[in-house]
PDB file of all heavy atoms in Angstrom:
ATOM      1  N   LEU F  87       0.832  -1.207   0.000  1.00 95.00           N
ATOM      2  CA  LEU F  87       0.000   0.000   0.000  1.00 95.00           C
ATOM      3  C   LEU F  87       0.862   1.251   0.000  1.00 95.00           C
ATOM      4  O   LEU F  87       0.601   2.200  -0.757  1.00 95.00           O
ATOM      5  CB  LEU F  87      -0.918  -0.006   1.222  1.00 95.00           C
ATOM      6  CG  LEU F  87      -1.774   1.246   1.417  1.00 95.00           C
ATOM      7  CD1 LEU F  87      -2.761   1.408   0.270  1.00 95.00           C
ATOM      8  CD2 LEU F  87      -2.506   1.181   2.757  1.00 95.00           C
ATOM      9  N   GLU F  88       1.883   1.267   0.832  1.00 93.00           N
ATOM     10  CA  GLU F  88       2.762   2.430   0.915  1.00 93.00           C
ATOM     11  C   GLU F  88       3.459   2.700  -0.410  1.00 93.00           C
ATOM     12  O   GLU F  88       3.665   3.863  -0.790  1.00 93.00           O
ATOM     13  CB  GLU F  88       3.775   2.228   2.033  1.00 93.00           C
ATOM     14  CG  GLU F  88       3.148   2.255   3.431  1.00 93.00           C
ATOM     15  CD  GLU F  88       4.086   1.788   4.518  1.00 93.00           C
ATOM     16  OE1 GLU F  88       5.199   1.301   4.177  1.00 93.00           O
ATOM     17  OE2 GLU F  88       3.721   1.888   5.708  1.00 93.00           O
ATOM     18  N   SER F  89       3.825   1.642  -1.127  1.00 95.00           N
ATOM     19  CA  SER F  89       4.517   1.834  -2.408  1.00 95.00           C
ATOM     20  C   SER F  89       3.607   2.481  -3.444  1.00 95.00           C
ATOM     21  O   SER F  89       4.083   3.103  -4.395  1.00 95.00           O
ATOM     22  CB  SER F  89       5.043   0.495  -2.931  1.00 95.00           C
ATOM     23  OG  SER F  89       3.981  -0.345  -3.370  1.00 95.00           O
ATOM     24  N   ILE F  90       2.307   2.339  -3.257  1.00 96.00           N
ATOM     25  CA  ILE F  90       1.345   2.970  -4.166  1.00 96.00           C
ATOM     26  C   ILE F  90       1.087   4.422  -3.782  1.00 96.00           C
ATOM     27  O   ILE F  90       1.105   5.324  -4.630  1.00 96.00           O
ATOM     28  CB  ILE F  90       0.004   2.190  -4.161  1.00 96.00           C
ATOM     29  CG1 ILE F  90       0.198   0.777  -4.712  1.00 96.00           C
ATOM     30  CG2 ILE F  90      -1.056   2.947  -4.971  1.00 96.00           C
ATOM     31  CD1 ILE F  90      -1.002  -0.137  -4.488  1.00 96.00           C
ATOM     32  N   VAL F  91       0.871   4.654  -2.499  1.00 95.00           N
ATOM     33  CA  VAL F  91       0.381   5.963  -2.049  1.00 95.00           C
ATOM     34  C   VAL F  91       1.493   6.945  -1.700  1.00 95.00           C
ATOM     35  O   VAL F  91       1.405   8.134  -2.030  1.00 95.00           O
ATOM     36  CB  VAL F  91      -0.561   5.780  -0.835  1.00 95.00           C
ATOM     37  CG1 VAL F  91      -1.015   7.139  -0.298  1.00 95.00           C
ATOM     38  CG2 VAL F  91      -1.760   4.924  -1.213  1.00 95.00           C
ATOM     39  N   HIS F  92       2.545   6.474  -1.037  1.00 95.00           N
ATOM     40  CA  HIS F  92       3.539   7.409  -0.513  1.00 95.00           C
ATOM     41  C   HIS F  92       4.247   8.253  -1.572  1.00 95.00           C
ATOM     42  O   HIS F  92       4.442   9.459  -1.352  1.00 95.00           O
ATOM     43  CB  HIS F  92       4.559   6.660   0.343  1.00 95.00           C
ATOM     44  CG  HIS F  92       4.032   6.279   1.684  1.00 95.00           C
ATOM     45  ND1 HIS F  92       4.729   5.538   2.602  1.00 95.00           N
ATOM     46  CD2 HIS F  92       2.832   6.555   2.280  1.00 95.00           C
ATOM     47  CE1 HIS F  92       4.010   5.351   3.688  1.00 95.00           C
ATOM     48  NE2 HIS F  92       2.854   5.952   3.511  1.00 95.00           N
ATOM     49  N   PRO F  93       4.661   7.688  -2.721  1.00 95.00           N
ATOM     50  CA  PRO F  93       5.309   8.560  -3.710  1.00 95.00           C
ATOM     51  C   PRO F  93       4.426   9.721  -4.151  1.00 95.00           C
ATOM     52  O   PRO F  93       4.910  10.844  -4.359  1.00 95.00           O
ATOM     53  CB  PRO F  93       5.605   7.603  -4.878  1.00 95.00           C
ATOM     54  CG  PRO F  93       5.704   6.251  -4.239  1.00 95.00           C
ATOM     55  CD  PRO F  93       4.675   6.267  -3.142  1.00 95.00           C
ATOM     56  N   ILE F  94       3.139   9.469  -4.275  1.00 95.00           N
ATOM     57  CA  ILE F  94       2.210  10.521  -4.673  1.00 95.00           C
ATOM     58  C   ILE F  94       2.102  11.578  -3.581  1.00 95.00           C
ATOM     59  O   ILE F  94       2.161  12.790  -3.848  1.00 95.00           O
ATOM     60  CB  ILE F  94       0.819   9.929  -4.970  1.00 95.00           C
ATOM     61  CG1 ILE F  94       0.896   8.902  -6.094  1.00 95.00           C
ATOM     62  CG2 ILE F  94      -0.177  11.033  -5.299  1.00 95.00           C
ATOM     63  CD1 ILE F  94      -0.388   8.114  -6.298  1.00 95.00           C
ATOM     64  N   VAL F  95       1.971  11.123  -2.354  1.00 95.00           N
ATOM     65  CA  VAL F  95       1.788  12.058  -1.241  1.00 95.00           C
ATOM     66  C   VAL F  95       3.026  12.919  -1.048  1.00 95.00           C
ATOM     67  O   VAL F  95       2.919  14.151  -0.901  1.00 95.00           O
ATOM     68  CB  VAL F  95       1.451  11.292   0.053  1.00 95.00           C
ATOM     69  CG1 VAL F  95       1.496  12.234   1.260  1.00 95.00           C
ATOM     70  CG2 VAL F  95       0.079  10.649  -0.056  1.00 95.00           C
ATOM     71  N   TYR F  96       4.215  12.320  -1.048  1.00 96.00           N
ATOM     72  CA  TYR F  96       5.421  13.113  -0.839  1.00 96.00           C
ATOM     73  C   TYR F  96       5.651  14.093  -1.986  1.00 96.00           C
ATOM     74  O   TYR F  96       6.141  15.211  -1.757  1.00 96.00           O
ATOM     75  CB  TYR F  96       6.629  12.210  -0.627  1.00 96.00           C
ATOM     76  CG  TYR F  96       6.713  11.676   0.789  1.00 96.00           C
ATOM     77  CD1 TYR F  96       6.466  10.336   1.073  1.00 96.00           C
ATOM     78  CD2 TYR F  96       7.005  12.529   1.854  1.00 96.00           C
ATOM     79  CE1 TYR F  96       6.525   9.860   2.378  1.00 96.00           C
ATOM     80  CE2 TYR F  96       7.055  12.063   3.154  1.00 96.00           C
ATOM     81  CZ  TYR F  96       6.820  10.725   3.414  1.00 96.00           C
ATOM     82  OH  TYR F  96       6.864  10.259   4.711  1.00 96.00           O
ATOM     83  N   ALA F  97       5.287  13.717  -3.198  1.00 96.00           N
ATOM     84  CA  ALA F  97       5.396  14.660  -4.316  1.00 96.00           C
ATOM     85  C   ALA F  97       4.465  15.846  -4.101  1.00 96.00           C
ATOM     86  O   ALA F  97       4.832  17.000  -4.371  1.00 96.00           O
ATOM     87  CB  ALA F  97       5.070  13.955  -5.631  1.00 96.00           C
ATOM     88  N   ARG F  98       3.285  15.593  -3.585  1.00 95.00           N
ATOM     89  CA  ARG F  98       2.329  16.675  -3.343  1.00 95.00           C
ATOM     90  C   ARG F  98       2.780  17.563  -2.185  1.00 95.00           C
ATOM     91  O   ARG F  98       2.549  18.778  -2.207  1.00 95.00           O
ATOM     92  CB  ARG F  98       0.932  16.100  -3.081  1.00 95.00           C
ATOM     93  CG  ARG F  98       0.345  15.430  -4.316  1.00 95.00           C
ATOM     94  CD  ARG F  98      -1.091  15.007  -4.129  1.00 95.00           C
ATOM     95  NE  ARG F  98      -1.618  14.419  -5.363  1.00 95.00           N
ATOM     96  CZ  ARG F  98      -2.892  14.147  -5.581  1.00 95.00           C
ATOM     97  NH1 ARG F  98      -3.794  14.439  -4.644  1.00 95.00           N
ATOM     98  NH2 ARG F  98      -3.291  13.606  -6.708  1.00 95.00           N
ATOM     99  N   VAL F  99       3.413  16.957  -1.182  1.00 96.00           N
ATOM    100  CA  VAL F  99       3.954  17.767  -0.090  1.00 96.00           C
ATOM    101  C   VAL F  99       5.045  18.692  -0.610  1.00 96.00           C
ATOM    102  O   VAL F  99       5.085  19.887  -0.280  1.00 96.00           O
ATOM    103  CB  VAL F  99       4.493  16.868   1.044  1.00 96.00           C
ATOM    104  CG1 VAL F  99       5.293  17.692   2.052  1.00 96.00           C
ATOM    105  CG2 VAL F  99       3.352  16.141   1.743  1.00 96.00           C
ATOM    106  N   ARG F 100       5.952  18.148  -1.418  1.00 95.00           N
ATOM    107  CA  ARG F 100       7.021  18.989  -1.991  1.00 95.00           C
ATOM    108  C   ARG F 100       6.432  20.117  -2.820  1.00 95.00           C
ATOM    109  O   ARG F 100       6.892  21.268  -2.741  1.00 95.00           O
ATOM    110  CB  ARG F 100       7.957  18.128  -2.841  1.00 95.00           C
ATOM    111  CG  ARG F 100       8.835  17.183  -2.035  1.00 95.00           C
ATOM    112  CD  ARG F 100       9.932  16.581  -2.895  1.00 95.00           C
ATOM    113  NE  ARG F 100       9.391  15.728  -3.952  1.00 95.00           N
ATOM    114  CZ  ARG F 100       9.152  14.426  -3.808  1.00 95.00           C
ATOM    115  NH1 ARG F 100       9.386  13.823  -2.659  1.00 95.00           N
ATOM    116  NH2 ARG F 100       8.688  13.714  -4.822  1.00 95.00           N
ATOM    117  N   ASP F 101       5.426  19.809  -3.625  1.00 94.00           N
ATOM    118  CA  ASP F 101       4.795  20.842  -4.443  1.00 94.00           C
ATOM    119  C   ASP F 101       4.144  21.913  -3.566  1.00 94.00           C
ATOM    120  O   ASP F 101       4.204  23.111  -3.881  1.00 94.00           O
ATOM    121  CB  ASP F 101       3.737  20.221  -5.360  1.00 94.00           C
ATOM    122  CG  ASP F 101       4.333  19.379  -6.469  1.00 94.00           C
ATOM    123  OD1 ASP F 101       5.552  19.504  -6.718  1.00 94.00           O
ATOM    124  OD2 ASP F 101       3.593  18.582  -7.076  1.00 94.00           O
ATOM    125  N   TRP F 102       3.535  21.483  -2.467  1.00 95.00           N
ATOM    126  CA  TRP F 102       2.870  22.440  -1.571  1.00 95.00           C
ATOM    127  C   TRP F 102       3.868  23.431  -1.001  1.00 95.00           C
ATOM    128  O   TRP F 102       3.596  24.643  -0.958  1.00 95.00           O
ATOM    129  CB  TRP F 102       2.166  21.688  -0.452  1.00 95.00           C
ATOM    130  CG  TRP F 102       1.505  22.585   0.550  1.00 95.00           C
ATOM    131  CD1 TRP F 102       0.321  23.245   0.426  1.00 95.00           C
ATOM    132  CD2 TRP F 102       2.015  22.942   1.850  1.00 95.00           C
ATOM    133  NE1 TRP F 102       0.047  23.979   1.555  1.00 95.00           N
ATOM    134  CE2 TRP F 102       1.075  23.810   2.445  1.00 95.00           C
ATOM    135  CE3 TRP F 102       3.165  22.603   2.555  1.00 95.00           C
ATOM    136  CZ2 TRP F 102       1.256  24.354   3.715  1.00 95.00           C
ATOM    137  CZ3 TRP F 102       3.353  23.137   3.828  1.00 95.00           C
ATOM    138  CH2 TRP F 102       2.408  24.003   4.387  1.00 95.00           C
ATOM    139  N   PHE F 103       5.030  22.959  -0.584  1.00 94.00           N
ATOM    140  CA  PHE F 103       6.024  23.876  -0.026  1.00 94.00           C
ATOM    141  C   PHE F 103       6.458  24.922  -1.054  1.00 94.00           C
ATOM    142  O   PHE F 103       6.748  26.066  -0.689  1.00 94.00           O
ATOM    143  CB  PHE F 103       7.239  23.104   0.483  1.00 94.00           C
ATOM    144  CG  PHE F 103       7.085  22.565   1.885  1.00 94.00           C
ATOM    145  CD1 PHE F 103       6.995  21.208   2.113  1.00 94.00           C
ATOM    146  CD2 PHE F 103       7.025  23.419   2.975  1.00 94.00           C
ATOM    147  CE1 PHE F 103       6.849  20.698   3.395  1.00 94.00           C
ATOM    148  CE2 PHE F 103       6.875  22.933   4.272  1.00 94.00           C
ATOM    149  CZ  PHE F 103       6.786  21.564   4.484  1.00 94.00           C
ATOM    150  N   THR F 104       6.509  24.556  -2.316  1.00 91.00           N
ATOM    151  CA  THR F 104       6.939  25.508  -3.342  1.00 91.00           C
ATOM    152  C   THR F 104       5.913  26.609  -3.562  1.00 91.00           C
ATOM    153  O   THR F 104       6.241  27.648  -4.139  1.00 91.00           O
ATOM    154  CB  THR F 104       7.222  24.809  -4.683  1.00 91.00           C
ATOM    155  OG1 THR F 104       5.995  24.293  -5.227  1.00 91.00           O
ATOM    156  CG2 THR F 104       8.230  23.689  -4.509  1.00 91.00           C
ATOM    157  N   THR F 105       4.677  26.408  -3.110  1.00 89.00           N
ATOM    158  CA  THR F 105       3.644  27.435  -3.293  1.00 89.00           C
ATOM    159  C   THR F 105       3.668  28.482  -2.194  1.00 89.00           C
ATOM    160  O   THR F 105       3.006  29.512  -2.313  1.00 89.00           O
ATOM    161  CB  THR F 105       2.237  26.803  -3.311  1.00 89.00           C
ATOM    162  OG1 THR F 105       1.899  26.302  -2.004  1.00 89.00           O
ATOM    163  CG2 THR F 105       2.156  25.666  -4.321  1.00 89.00           C
ATOM    164  N   LEU F 106       4.430  28.248  -1.121  1.00 89.00           N
ATOM    165  CA  LEU F 106       4.418  29.182   0.010  1.00 89.00           C
ATOM    166  C   LEU F 106       5.298  30.385  -0.296  1.00 89.00           C
ATOM    167  O   LEU F 106       6.428  30.237  -0.758  1.00 89.00           O
ATOM    168  CB  LEU F 106       4.914  28.479   1.276  1.00 89.00           C
ATOM    169  CG  LEU F 106       4.105  27.261   1.724  1.00 89.00           C
ATOM    170  CD1 LEU F 106       4.687  26.686   3.004  1.00 89.00           C
ATOM    171  CD2 LEU F 106       2.631  27.609   1.898  1.00 89.00           C
ATOM    172  N   PRO F 107       4.799  31.584  -0.014  1.00 78.00           N
ATOM    173  CA  PRO F 107       5.584  32.788  -0.288  1.00 78.00           C
ATOM    174  C   PRO F 107       6.739  32.943   0.692  1.00 78.00           C
ATOM    175  O   PRO F 107       6.652  32.531   1.852  1.00 78.00           O
ATOM    176  CB  PRO F 107       4.571  33.919  -0.119  1.00 78.00           C
ATOM    177  CG  PRO F 107       3.569  33.366   0.845  1.00 78.00           C
ATOM    178  CD  PRO F 107       3.477  31.901   0.533  1.00 78.00           C
ATOM    179  N   VAL F 108       7.812  33.515   0.211  1.00 74.00           N
ATOM    180  CA  VAL F 108       8.982  33.800   1.045  1.00 74.00           C
ATOM    181  C   VAL F 108       9.040  35.306   1.261  1.00 74.00           C
ATOM    182  O   VAL F 108       8.874  36.089   0.325  1.00 74.00           O
ATOM    183  CB  VAL F 108      10.268  33.305   0.358  1.00 74.00           C
ATOM    184  CG1 VAL F 108      11.487  33.626   1.211  1.00 74.00           C
ATOM    185  CG2 VAL F 108      10.185  31.812   0.104  1.00 74.00           C
ATOM    186  N   ALA F 109       9.287  35.717   2.501  1.00 65.00           N
ATOM    187  CA  ALA F 109       9.351  37.142   2.821  1.00 65.00           C
ATOM    188  C   ALA F 109      10.616  37.766   2.244  1.00 65.00           C
ATOM    189  O   ALA F 109      11.457  37.096   1.650  1.00 65.00           O
ATOM    190  CB  ALA F 109       9.289  37.341   4.332  1.00 65.00           C
ATOM    191  N   GLY F 110      10.752  39.060   2.466  1.00 57.00           N
ATOM    192  CA  GLY F 110      11.892  39.795   1.942  1.00 57.00           C
ATOM    193  C   GLY F 110      13.217  39.365   2.543  1.00 57.00           C
ATOM    194  O   GLY F 110      13.273  38.507   3.417  1.00 57.00           O
ATOM    195  N   PRO F 111      14.299  39.991   2.102  1.00 54.00           N
ATOM    196  CA  PRO F 111      15.639  39.548   2.484  1.00 54.00           C
ATOM    197  C   PRO F 111      16.111  40.010   3.854  1.00 54.00           C
ATOM    198  O   PRO F 111      17.244  39.752   4.231  1.00 54.00           O
ATOM    199  CB  PRO F 111      16.517  40.148   1.383  1.00 54.00           C
ATOM    200  CG  PRO F 111      15.799  41.391   0.978  1.00 54.00           C
ATOM    201  CD  PRO F 111      14.329  41.054   1.074  1.00 54.00           C
ATOM    202  N   ASP F 112      15.257  40.702   4.608  1.00 52.00           N
ATOM    203  CA  ASP F 112      15.663  41.194   5.920  1.00 52.00           C
ATOM    204  C   ASP F 112      15.911  40.027   6.864  1.00 52.00           C
ATOM    205  O   ASP F 112      14.985  39.338   7.300  1.00 52.00           O
ATOM    206  CB  ASP F 112      14.563  42.097   6.492  1.00 52.00           C
ATOM    207  CG  ASP F 112      14.950  42.673   7.858  1.00 52.00           C
ATOM    208  OD1 ASP F 112      16.074  42.399   8.326  1.00 52.00           O
ATOM    209  OD2 ASP F 112      14.127  43.391   8.435  1.00 52.00           O
ATOM    210  N   ALA F 113      17.162  39.759   7.194  1.00 48.00           N
ATOM    211  CA  ALA F 113      17.515  38.600   8.010  1.00 48.00           C
ATOM    212  C   ALA F 113      16.968  38.700   9.415  1.00 48.00           C
ATOM    213  O   ALA F 113      16.859  37.692  10.118  1.00 48.00           O
ATOM    214  CB  ALA F 113      19.033  38.447   8.057  1.00 48.00           C
ATOM    215  N   ALA F 114      16.623  39.910   9.871  1.00 48.00           N
ATOM    216  CA  ALA F 114      16.115  40.071  11.224  1.00 48.00           C
ATOM    217  C   ALA F 114      14.633  39.722  11.328  1.00 48.00           C
ATOM    218  O   ALA F 114      14.100  39.584  12.419  1.00 48.00           O
ATOM    219  CB  ALA F 114      16.331  41.509  11.689  1.00 48.00           C
ATOM    220  N   ALA F 115      13.967  39.607  10.174  1.00 52.00           N
ATOM    221  CA  ALA F 115      12.540  39.300  10.183  1.00 52.00           C
ATOM    222  C   ALA F 115      12.319  37.825  10.509  1.00 52.00           C
ATOM    223  O   ALA F 115      13.184  36.996  10.261  1.00 52.00           O
ATOM    224  CB  ALA F 115      11.930  39.624   8.818  1.00 52.00           C
ATOM    225  N   PRO F 116      11.175  37.512  11.104  1.00 59.00           N
ATOM    226  CA  PRO F 116      10.883  36.102  11.381  1.00 59.00           C
ATOM    227  C   PRO F 116      10.928  35.274  10.108  1.00 59.00           C
ATOM    228  O   PRO F 116      10.519  35.728   9.043  1.00 59.00           O
ATOM    229  CB  PRO F 116       9.463  36.142  11.960  1.00 59.00           C
ATOM    230  CG  PRO F 116       9.307  37.524  12.474  1.00 59.00           C
ATOM    231  CD  PRO F 116      10.105  38.401  11.544  1.00 59.00           C
ATOM    232  N   ALA F 117      11.449  34.070  10.211  1.00 63.00           N
ATOM    233  CA  ALA F 117      11.545  33.199   9.047  1.00 63.00           C
ATOM    234  C   ALA F 117      10.172  32.711   8.635  1.00 63.00           C
ATOM    235  O   ALA F 117       9.264  32.575   9.443  1.00 63.00           O
ATOM    236  CB  ALA F 117      12.454  32.010   9.373  1.00 63.00           C
ATOM    237  N   ASP F 118      10.009  32.453   7.347  1.00 89.00           N
ATOM    238  CA  ASP F 118       8.792  31.845   6.839  1.00 89.00           C
ATOM    239  C   ASP F 118       8.856  30.346   7.088  1.00 89.00           C
ATOM    240  O   ASP F 118       9.884  29.710   6.852  1.00 89.00           O
ATOM    241  CB  ASP F 118       8.644  32.125   5.347  1.00 89.00           C
ATOM    242  CG  ASP F 118       8.391  33.592   5.077  1.00 89.00           C
ATOM    243  OD1 ASP F 118       7.662  34.220   5.846  1.00 89.00           O
ATOM    244  OD2 ASP F 118       8.958  34.105   4.102  1.00 89.00           O
ATOM    245  N   VAL F 119       7.747  29.796   7.530  1.00 94.00           N
ATOM    246  CA  VAL F 119       7.701  28.389   7.933  1.00 94.00           C
ATOM    247  C   VAL F 119       6.448  27.745   7.375  1.00 94.00           C
ATOM    248  O   VAL F 119       5.372  28.333   7.408  1.00 94.00           O
ATOM    249  CB  VAL F 119       7.687  28.256   9.473  1.00 94.00           C
ATOM    250  CG1 VAL F 119       7.675  26.789   9.885  1.00 94.00           C
ATOM    251  CG2 VAL F 119       8.870  28.978  10.097  1.00 94.00           C
ATOM    252  N   GLY F 120       6.578  26.534   6.868  1.00 96.00           N
ATOM    253  CA  GLY F 120       5.436  25.714   6.489  1.00 96.00           C
ATOM    254  C   GLY F 120       5.503  24.407   7.268  1.00 96.00           C
ATOM    255  O   GLY F 120       6.597  23.882   7.513  1.00 96.00           O
ATOM    256  N   ILE F 121       4.355  23.899   7.677  1.00 97.00           N
ATOM    257  CA  ILE F 121       4.316  22.689   8.503  1.00 97.00           C
ATOM    258  C   ILE F 121       3.447  21.638   7.838  1.00 97.00           C
ATOM    259  O   ILE F 121       2.282  21.891   7.509  1.00 97.00           O
ATOM    260  CB  ILE F 121       3.770  22.995   9.907  1.00 97.00           C
ATOM    261  CG1 ILE F 121       4.647  24.047  10.596  1.00 97.00           C
ATOM    262  CG2 ILE F 121       3.706  21.717  10.748  1.00 97.00           C
ATOM    263  CD1 ILE F 121       4.135  24.481  11.963  1.00 97.00           C
ATOM    264  N   ALA F 122       4.024  20.452   7.645  1.00 98.00           N
ATOM    265  CA  ALA F 122       3.303  19.330   7.059  1.00 98.00           C
ATOM    266  C   ALA F 122       3.182  18.210   8.082  1.00 98.00           C
ATOM    267  O   ALA F 122       4.187  17.792   8.668  1.00 98.00           O
ATOM    268  CB  ALA F 122       4.025  18.821   5.813  1.00 98.00           C
ATOM    269  N   ASP F 123       1.975  17.752   8.304  1.00 98.00           N
ATOM    270  CA  ASP F 123       1.725  16.620   9.199  1.00 98.00           C
ATOM    271  C   ASP F 123       2.027  15.340   8.434  1.00 98.00           C
ATOM    272  O   ASP F 123       1.322  14.988   7.483  1.00 98.00           O
ATOM    273  CB  ASP F 123       0.256  16.656   9.645  1.00 98.00           C
ATOM    274  CG  ASP F 123      -0.117  15.502  10.565  1.00 98.00           C
ATOM    275  OD1 ASP F 123       0.743  14.650  10.851  1.00 98.00           O
ATOM    276  OD2 ASP F 123      -1.286  15.456  10.997  1.00 98.00           O
ATOM    277  N   ILE F 124       3.090  14.632   8.842  1.00 97.00           N
ATOM    278  CA  ILE F 124       3.544  13.425   8.153  1.00 97.00           C
ATOM    279  C   ILE F 124       3.577  12.279   9.170  1.00 97.00           C
ATOM    280  O   ILE F 124       4.579  12.076   9.864  1.00 97.00           O
ATOM    281  CB  ILE F 124       4.947  13.611   7.537  1.00 97.00           C
ATOM    282  CG1 ILE F 124       5.046  14.917   6.747  1.00 97.00           C
ATOM    283  CG2 ILE F 124       5.302  12.401   6.678  1.00 97.00           C
ATOM    284  CD1 ILE F 124       4.319  14.916   5.433  1.00 97.00           C
ATOM    285  N   PRO F 125       2.518  11.495   9.300  1.00 93.00           N
ATOM    286  CA  PRO F 125       2.480  10.464  10.342  1.00 93.00           C
ATOM    287  C   PRO F 125       3.625   9.456  10.270  1.00 93.00           C
ATOM    288  O   PRO F 125       4.172   9.065  11.301  1.00 93.00           O
ATOM    289  CB  PRO F 125       1.128   9.785  10.100  1.00 93.00           C
ATOM    290  CG  PRO F 125       0.288  10.835   9.449  1.00 93.00           C
ATOM    291  CD  PRO F 125       1.241  11.603   8.577  1.00 93.00           C
ATOM    292  N   LEU F 126       4.000   9.008   9.083  1.00 93.00           N
ATOM    293  CA  LEU F 126       5.004   7.956   8.939  1.00 93.00           C
ATOM    294  C   LEU F 126       6.343   8.519   8.455  1.00 93.00           C
ATOM    295  O   LEU F 126       7.045   7.887   7.670  1.00 93.00           O
ATOM    296  CB  LEU F 126       4.502   6.875   7.978  1.00 93.00           C
ATOM    297  CG  LEU F 126       3.237   6.146   8.417  1.00 93.00           C
ATOM    298  CD1 LEU F 126       2.816   5.118   7.368  1.00 93.00           C
ATOM    299  CD2 LEU F 126       3.419   5.473   9.771  1.00 93.00           C
ATOM    300  N   LEU F 127       6.696   9.668   8.945  1.00 96.00           N
ATOM    301  CA  LEU F 127       7.917  10.340   8.497  1.00 96.00           C
ATOM    302  C   LEU F 127       9.153   9.460   8.665  1.00 96.00           C
ATOM    303  O   LEU F 127       9.901   9.222   7.710  1.00 96.00           O
ATOM    304  CB  LEU F 127       8.099  11.641   9.282  1.00 96.00           C
ATOM    305  CG  LEU F 127       9.349  12.440   8.929  1.00 96.00           C
ATOM    306  CD1 LEU F 127       9.172  13.147   7.605  1.00 96.00           C
ATOM    307  CD2 LEU F 127       9.669  13.444  10.036  1.00 96.00           C
ATOM    308  N   TYR F 128       9.391   8.984   9.868  1.00 96.00           N
ATOM    309  CA  TYR F 128      10.597   8.196  10.134  1.00 96.00           C
ATOM    310  C   TYR F 128      10.496   6.801   9.530  1.00 96.00           C
ATOM    311  O   TYR F 128      11.495   6.254   9.039  1.00 96.00           O
ATOM    312  CB  TYR F 128      10.839   8.093  11.639  1.00 96.00           C
ATOM    313  CG  TYR F 128      11.266   9.396  12.267  1.00 96.00           C
ATOM    314  CD1 TYR F 128      10.467  10.026  13.209  1.00 96.00           C
ATOM    315  CD2 TYR F 128      12.473   9.991  11.914  1.00 96.00           C
ATOM    316  CE1 TYR F 128      10.860  11.220  13.790  1.00 96.00           C
ATOM    317  CE2 TYR F 128      12.866  11.197  12.487  1.00 96.00           C
ATOM    318  CZ  TYR F 128      12.053  11.802  13.425  1.00 96.00           C
ATOM    319  OH  TYR F 128      12.447  12.987  13.995  1.00 96.00           O
TER     320      TYR F 128
END
């Protein structure tokens, strides 16, 4: 089951992160963060 579903899910997670905006270059500003709930990460 994992061999069927996981490649699709991880590809979609990677794509999701690329859609998140990044703030300006001010290093003192809080970093931009995205959080993905990944139950079987390890």
Side-chain angles (χ1 to χ4, degrees):
L87 176 64
E88 291 169 353
S89 71
I90 296 169
V91 177
H92 284 176
I94 300 171
V95 170
Y96 280 109
R98 293 187 178 191
V99 169
R100 289 192 295 271
D101 290 344
W102 178 78
F103 276 112
T104 67
T105 69
L106 300 181
V108 179
D112 181 2
D118 292 322
V119 181
I121 301 176
D123 179 359
I124 312 287
L126 298 179
L127 179 75
Y128 290 116

